[in-house]
Structure formats: C-alpha cells, structure tokens
Amino acid sequence: MSMVSNKYNEVKCGFYVPALMKRSWYAQIEVLKYVDSVCRQNNLVYFAEYGTLLGAVRHKGFIPWDDDIDIGMKRADYEKLKEILLKQPSEKFRVKCFQNSLEQNNFNMLVISNYGASSGNRQMDEFHGFPFETAIDIFPYDFL
C-alpha cells in the first residue's frame, strides 16, 4: 500500500488510515442510516457488536483497521427486518441472506449499497466518494 500524500490520510493508534478507508466508513454509515430508519419506523431494536461495539467504546468511532459495521438483533426483530427489506426493495440498497443468495451461506444478513464501481458520479455523490459497494452485517440472536 502506498502512503500517498493526502490531507485526509492519518495515523491512528499507530495504524495508517488512508482517506479511502474513511470514505468507506462514511459509506457504511449511509447503509446504517437506512437500516436505522426502517428499524425506527417498525419499532425494531438493534445494537452494535463485535468490532463496531469495541470501536465505539475504545476508539469513540471505528477501530482504525476495521472495515465493516456489525449489528445484532433479537431473532424476532431480525426476521421482521428481513421480511420488510425483502418485500420493499430500495433503489439504493439490497439485502443478501441465505434465502435469496447462494453466496450468503451463513445465517447473517447483509444490507448492501446498490451501486458498484461502475455507478460513477451517483455512487461517489451519495456514498462520500467511496467508489465500491459497501455493506453492514446484521446477526440474529436467539438467546440473550
């Protein structure tokens, strides 16, 4: 990885954080805002977990080397969210779970930006200059 000079690059906790990683974080927050709005509209509860929770507590944000957002939900809320997201497709986001994707062979759900590198200016404008699709992981919990 080249340490190209850019005023947005920085070192956090001794770890080099390039501007592209920061744009990835902002793009993930856009996905989280969408999930959050659906959850709020439907009284569904979710919580931060794994590296997302650790980063929020220890780093007051993202862990410098973490590249995704992880949230958890009790099973009933998870299933309701999945049902809503699958029945009401969004122009900007899509859902990947084992029910609708052979690639998703574990039991969590991904909510993914619906744009990829070929989307051009729209992707760049709506997802803070991050040129790739981005996703958050949502994990169900049967016992809490």
Side-chain angles (χ1 to χ4, degrees):
M1 174 188 304
S2 168
M3 288 200 190
V4 176
S5 176
N6 181 319
K7 68 180 182 175
Y8 299 107
N9 297 334
E10 67 178 291
V11 174
K12 285 185 154 206
C13 303
F15 190 82
Y16 174 70
V17 181
L20 186 61
M21 176 66 99
K22 291 180 183 179
R23 288 193 294 269
S24 168
W25 294 339
Y26 286 123
Q28 290 169 43
I29 289 172
E30 292 300 324
V31 180
L32 181 60
K33 287 194 299 193
Y34 168 65
V35 171
D36 178 70
S37 72
V38 173
C39 287
R40 287 177 187 270
Q41 291 169 11
N42 294 279
N43 297 313
L44 305 175
V45 176
Y46 69 90
F47 47 88
E49 60 178 4
Y50 302 119
T52 302
L53 179 58
L54 181 61
V57 173
R58 186 172 68 188
H59 296 277
K60 310 294 185 255
F62 284 89
I63 296 173
W65 53 89
D66 195 10
D67 63 354
D68 70 344
I69 290 177
D70 301 306
I71 63 173
M73 302 179 83
K74 291 195 277 185
R75 174 65 71 176
D77 285 351
Y78 173 88
E79 293 297 336
K80 179 73 173 171
L81 177 64
K82 183 170 57 174
E83 178 185 334
I84 292 166
L85 294 176
L86 289 173
K87 284 185 177 178
Q88 300 172 7
S90 165
E91 179 183 316
K92 287 173 59 173
F93 306 98
R94 70 183 187 281
V95 176
K96 192 182 283 188
C97 57
F98 79 91
Q99 288 94 340
N100 72 353
S101 174
L102 295 175
E103 298 169 2
Q104 190 65 16
N105 58 4
N106 52 13
F107 292 99
N108 69 309
M109 171 174 41
L110 297 171
V111 177
I112 308 166
S113 64
N114 223 4
Y115 307 122
S118 63
S119 299
N121 290 339
R122 187 169 187 184
Q123 166 75 16
M124 297 297 277
D125 291 344
E126 294 183 19
F127 290 92
H128 306 276
F130 188 66
F132 309 106
E133 70 180 19
T134 189
I136 64 169
D137 296 311
I138 305 173
F139 297 92
Y141 282 86
D142 293 311
F143 303 100
L144 287 177

